[in-house]
């Protein structure tokens, strides 16, 4: 019998620090065997003052040191340590991370919002019963964090839209804490505050989606499940009637009474009403008769991702499908020429795969090239003649669940540079690290050729084949149309490819059918 292996994940959340130990077996989903949690609400100070105090650092280190004792029981010397919005928004986060490393030996990785939501969504996909069938029809997923919420929409199995809002339960509670002492109608004020941002969200979300399912998840959901008579650590479907019973209880119960009567930690008790209002508002909006409440956590998502990348087990759904689907819907929203971007995507991937042994890039780089091809013309929505710089700014301000901030900027850079004759003098290019310049230059070189091959947006080239030999890349095609413009555009954009790969690209008409 194979010896069990273990993996540990530590989540430095805004309200608590959590440790989970997972048993890892080949071809099986990681299995949680032990968990520990210590409440520490340092996120409130970050949202209020913008920094983490030295006193809080000492408490964090003390908790982490206690977690390390547990790690030793499993003969683990390290853990994957991730931090979310409380660290992300702290102005002094770099110093704090270094202090923690020196005191505990643990390295903290601060997730950007897209990464955090990716891990949450991944945990839901793996833990929500019948997820693949559910998302075949309109599905709202509401991820309620301490600092913000993320609304994600699926329809016909595609991720259609995702939007972040600064309506996290702790942030809202902290912002309105003074009002709670000044008014007897705090719940009304709270609902009005939340409704304002949700109305802005509804103004930009995709129209025409008929919602059939609603999934809500987050750190405080477990307490709501428990108040409804369900296990906080297991999936449940909560009917609207049952949820409203819990909601009414929260409306008429003081925070202090929740702590005493329901055994809810003080740090969480004040956050349940904002969480319940968010769930209710979206429940009312979708018009559904209940909400799915899966047992899914950030730590679950982190270990699922890590072990799937290592090849230890297969996820129920390829994460790349979501980010590609989201990019396609963004391109549609910006009225991109679908036939053109599909053609450029196909051309780019053909070139990438054909010169694989020459470029030394990864499958992840291939995904970034694909996203660049899909999104390279979004800037035309603003300015047709000088669209590449607009595309750069649009892509850099959008959020694609599944790629991190650096990867998103690389995609933006490729969209910016594929039309520039000399990218090396561009000021944004100069800001990139040498490693990123190399990757961006290679992908930009491929994008230039791929776009040039459909320069007229008429998809003239057919039956493409690529042969690489003796320092040349021969791209042969069939066409019954005049390719003078495409040939000129190809030759005009071939120089960068030769510089970064040491290969001369040639576009050749194989035959011209009569």
């Amino acid at each position: 019998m194979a010896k069990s292996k273990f993996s540990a994940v530590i989540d430095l959340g805004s309200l608590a620090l959590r440790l989970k130990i997972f048993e890892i077996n080949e071809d099986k989903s990681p299995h949680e065997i032990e968990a520990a949690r210590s409440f520490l609400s340092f996120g409130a100070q970050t949202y209020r003052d913008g920094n983490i105090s030295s006193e809080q650092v000492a408490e964090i280190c003390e908790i982490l040191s206690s977690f390390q004792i547990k790690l030793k029981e499993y003969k683990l010397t390290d853990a994957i340590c991730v931090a979310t919005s409380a660290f992300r928004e702290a102005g002094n986060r770099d110093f704090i991370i270094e202090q923690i490393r020196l005191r505990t030996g643990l390295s903290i990785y601060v997730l950007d919002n897209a990464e955090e939501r990716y891990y949450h969504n991944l945990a839901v996909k793996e833990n929500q019963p019948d997820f693949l069938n559910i998302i075949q029809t309109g599905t709202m997923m509401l991820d309620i964090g301490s600092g913000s919420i993320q609304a994600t929409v699926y329809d016909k199995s595609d991720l259609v839209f995702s939007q972040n809002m600064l309506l996290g339960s702790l942030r809202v509670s902290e912002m309105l804490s003074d009002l709670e002492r000044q008014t007897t109608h705090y719940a009304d004020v709270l609902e009005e505050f939340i409704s304002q941002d949700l109305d802005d969200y509804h103004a930009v979300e995709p129209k025409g989606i008929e919602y059939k399912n609603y999934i809500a998840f987050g750190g405080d959901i477990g307490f709501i499940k428990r108040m409804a008579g369900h296990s906080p650590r297991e999936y449940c479907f909560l009917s609207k009637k049952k949820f409203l019973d819990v909601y009414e209880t929260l409306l008429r119960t003081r925070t202090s009474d929740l702590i005493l009567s329901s055994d809810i930690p003080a740090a969480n008790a004040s956050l349940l009403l904002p969480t319940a209002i968010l769930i209710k508002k979206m429940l009312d909006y979708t018009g559904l008769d209940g909400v799915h409440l899966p047992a899914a956590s950030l730590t679950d998502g982190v270990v699922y991702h890590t072990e799937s990348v290592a090849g230890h087990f297969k996820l129920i759904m390829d994460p790349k499908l979501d980010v590609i689907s989201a990019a396609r819907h963004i391109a549609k929203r910006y009225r991109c020429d679908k036939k053109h971007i599909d053609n450029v995507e196909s051309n780019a991937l053909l070139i990438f795969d054909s010169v694989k042994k020459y470029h030394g890039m990864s499958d992840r780089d291939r995904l970034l090239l694909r996203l660049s091809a899909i999104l390279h013309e979004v800037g035309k929505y603003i300015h047709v003649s000088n669209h590449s710089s607009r595309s750069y700014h649009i892509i850099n301000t959008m959020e694609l669940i599944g790629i991190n901030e650096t990867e998103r900027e690389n995609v933006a850079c490729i969209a910016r540079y594929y039309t520039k004759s000399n990218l090396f003098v561009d000021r944004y290019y100069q800001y990139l690290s040498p490693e990123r310049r190399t990757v961006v230059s290679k992908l930009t070189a491929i994008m230039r050729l791929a776009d040039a091959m459909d320069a007229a947006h008429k998809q003239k080239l057919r039956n493409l084949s690529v042969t690489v030999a003796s320092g040349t890349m021969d791209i042969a095609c069939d066409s019954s149309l005049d390719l003078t413009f495409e040939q000129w555009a190809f030759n005009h954009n071939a120089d960068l490819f030769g510089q970064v790969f040491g290969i001369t690209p040639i576009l050749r008409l194989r035959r011209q059918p009569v």
Side-chain angles (χ1 to χ4, degrees):
M1 179 181 287
K3 188 176 180 180
S4 294
K5 296 181 180 179
F6 302 102
S7 180
V9 181
I10 296 174
D11 168 22
L12 288 81
S14 303
L15 287 168
L17 279 69
R18 299 172 179 84
L19 165 68
K20 280 192 179 183
I21 309 288
F22 295 88
E23 184 178 13
I24 308 299
N25 293 299
E26 292 288 337
D27 300 324
K28 290 184 179 180
S29 176
H31 174 61
E32 179 190 329
I33 56 174
E34 191 164 352
R37 176 172 60 180
S38 184
F39 291 100
L40 178 62
S41 183
F42 63 92
Q45 180 170 336
T46 301
Y47 302 144
R48 184 176 61 247
D49 302 328
N51 288 302
I52 299 173
S53 69
S54 56
E55 292 80 10
Q56 289 174 326
V57 173
E59 290 184 80
I60 291 171
C61 290
E62 185 177 346
I63 295 169
L64 291 176
S65 296
S66 70
F67 285 171
Q68 287 177 308
I69 296 173
K70 179 60 66 177
L71 294 178
K72 289 178 182 177
E73 294 179 15
Y74 291 89
K75 297 181 180 180
L76 292 170
T77 58
D78 202 4
I80 303 170
C81 301
V82 294
T84 53
S85 60
F87 270 78
R88 191 161 60 234
E89 298 184 25
N92 60 344
R93 77 174 190 182
D94 294 334
F95 312 123
I96 299 304
I97 290 171
E98 178 65 4
Q99 288 179 38
I100 293 172
R101 186 187 68 82
L102 292 173
R103 295 187 195 184
T104 68
L106 295 171
S107 298
I108 311 296
Y109 179 72
V110 180
L111 303 172
D112 63 36
N113 184 68
E115 290 176 297
E116 180 184 349
R117 305 307 175 175
Y118 163 75
Y119 290 128
H120 280 158
N121 287 357
L122 184 57
V124 171
K125 293 172 189 175
E126 293 295 317
N127 291 306
Q128 168 67 48
D130 211 26
F131 180 80
L132 293 181
N133 285 331
I134 284 175
I135 61 171
Q136 289 179 13
T137 54
T139 301
M140 168 65 68
M141 288 175 57
L142 188 64
D143 181 356
I144 304 174
S146 297
S148 65
I149 66 172
Q150 190 87 19
T152 302
V153 177
Y154 281 89
D155 193 28
K156 298 174 184 175
S157 298
D158 286 342
L159 193 157
V160 176
F161 183 74
S162 191
Q163 180 68 45
N164 184 255
M165 292 161 276
L166 295 178
L167 282 176
S169 55
L170 179 58
R171 188 190 301 275
V172 171
S173 179
E174 188 64 26
M175 290 174 65
L176 301 182
S177 58
D178 291 340
L179 280 175
E180 186 173 9
R181 294 186 289 269
Q182 296 174 18
T183 179
T184 57
H185 305 289
Y186 174 66
D188 294 334
V189 175
L190 192 59
E191 183 169 357
E192 188 174 5
F193 180 85
I194 289 171
S195 295
Q196 179 183 348
D197 274 19
L198 287 181
D199 287 345
D200 291 339
Y201 162 77
H202 293 314
V204 298
E205 72 170 337
K207 302 298 184 277
I209 300 225
E210 184 180 356
Y211 290 105
K212 298 293 185 180
N213 305 286
Y214 174 28
I215 303 171
F217 51 101
D220 297 314
I221 298 291
F223 298 110
I224 290 177
K225 288 190 210 176
R226 194 168 75 186
M227 292 179 68
H230 295 275
S231 168
R233 294 175 60 81
E234 295 179 3
Y235 159 81
C236 74
F237 178 82
L238 206 59
S239 68
K240 186 172 184 178
K241 180 181 183 304
K242 191 67 175 177
F243 170 76
L244 290 177
D245 289 342
V246 175
Y247 177 71
E248 291 297 330
T249 299
L250 290 171
L251 283 177
R252 63 176 182 264
T253 307
R254 293 180 301 179
T255 299
S256 58
D257 293 334
L258 285 174
I259 299 169
L260 294 172
S261 63
S262 302
D263 194 27
I264 295 172
N268 299 86
S270 62
L271 310 183
L272 295 188
L273 182 56
T275 298
I277 290 176
L278 285 164
I279 295 173
K280 179 181 179 297
K281 295 295 290 184
M282 205 62 84
L283 193 56
D284 290 341
Y285 177 76
T286 58
L288 297 172
D289 60 358
V291 55
H292 296 277
L293 302 177
S297 70
L298 176 67
T299 48
D300 296 336
V302 171
V303 78
Y304 292 152
H305 170 81
T306 303
E307 296 305 320
S308 67
V309 169
H312 293 157
F313 87 108
K314 187 176 181 181
L315 299 169
I316 65 166
M317 183 178 180
D318 186 347
K320 293 196 294 290
L321 297 178
D322 274 355
V323 69
I324 292 168
S325 173
R328 293 197 195 286
H329 282 282
I330 290 170
K332 181 179 179 180
R333 196 186 321 154
Y334 283 93
R335 300 179 185 176
C336 295
D337 182 343
K338 184 180 185 304
K339 289 183 179 179
H340 173 67
I341 63 176
D342 286 350
N343 189 268
V344 171
E345 179 187 355
S346 176
N347 295 341
L349 295 181
L350 176 64
I351 295 171
F352 183 96
D353 295 339
S354 299
V355 296
K356 193 168 185 176
K357 70 177 183 178
Y358 298 94
H359 59 54
M361 290 186 285
S362 66
D363 287 343
R364 194 68 180 175
D365 296 318
R366 189 179 189 272
L367 174 62
L368 299 187
L369 176 64
R370 195 171 182 181
L371 296 176
S372 303
I374 295 170
L375 297 171
H376 74 283
E377 287 196 341
V378 292
K380 285 188 175 182
Y381 187 82
I382 298 174
H383 198 291
V384 174
S385 301
N386 187 23
H387 69 275
S388 59
S389 61
R390 272 71 176 184
S391 295
Y392 172 85
H393 291 294
I394 290 172
I395 294 170
N396 243 348
T397 53
M398 69 176 55
E399 198 167 58
L400 289 168
I401 305 299
I403 67 169
N404 62 36
E405 187 175 335
T406 299
E407 291 173 326
R408 184 189 67 208
E409 187 177 1
N410 285 350
V411 172
C413 285
I414 297 163
R416 178 181 178 87
Y417 303 144
Y418 88 98
T419 61
K420 292 186 178 293
S421 57
N422 189 359
L423 78 162
F424 304 121
V425 299
D426 186 274
R427 62 190 178 97
Y428 291 98
Y429 185 83
Q430 299 300 321
Y431 294 149
L432 301 176
S433 67
E435 294 80 9
R436 290 180 62 195
R437 287 181 196 174
T438 300
V439 172
V440 167
S441 298
K442 288 179 179 180
L443 296 181
T444 300
I446 294 173
M447 262 296 297
R448 284 188 179 182
L449 293 184
D451 183 73
M453 289 160 66
D454 191 36
H457 286 225
K458 292 182 179 179
Q459 299 80 54
K460 299 178 185 178
L461 281 60
R462 296 283 185 271
N463 303 323
L464 294 169
S465 64
V466 179
T467 305
V468 183
S470 304
T472 63
M473 179 178 69
D474 184 87
I475 302 177
C477 66
D478 299 335
S479 182
S480 60
L481 302 172
D482 181 14
L483 298 184
T484 302
F485 182 36
E486 282 72 21
Q487 189 71 64
W488 172 85
F490 188 91
N491 294 337
H492 186 70
N493 286 282
D495 184 57
L496 181 62
F497 192 92
Q499 290 183 57
V500 299
F501 294 114
I503 299 171
T504 301
I506 299 169
L507 179 63
R508 178 172 58 83
L509 179 62
R510 189 184 294 112
R511 67 178 186 274
Q512 188 166 352
V514 179

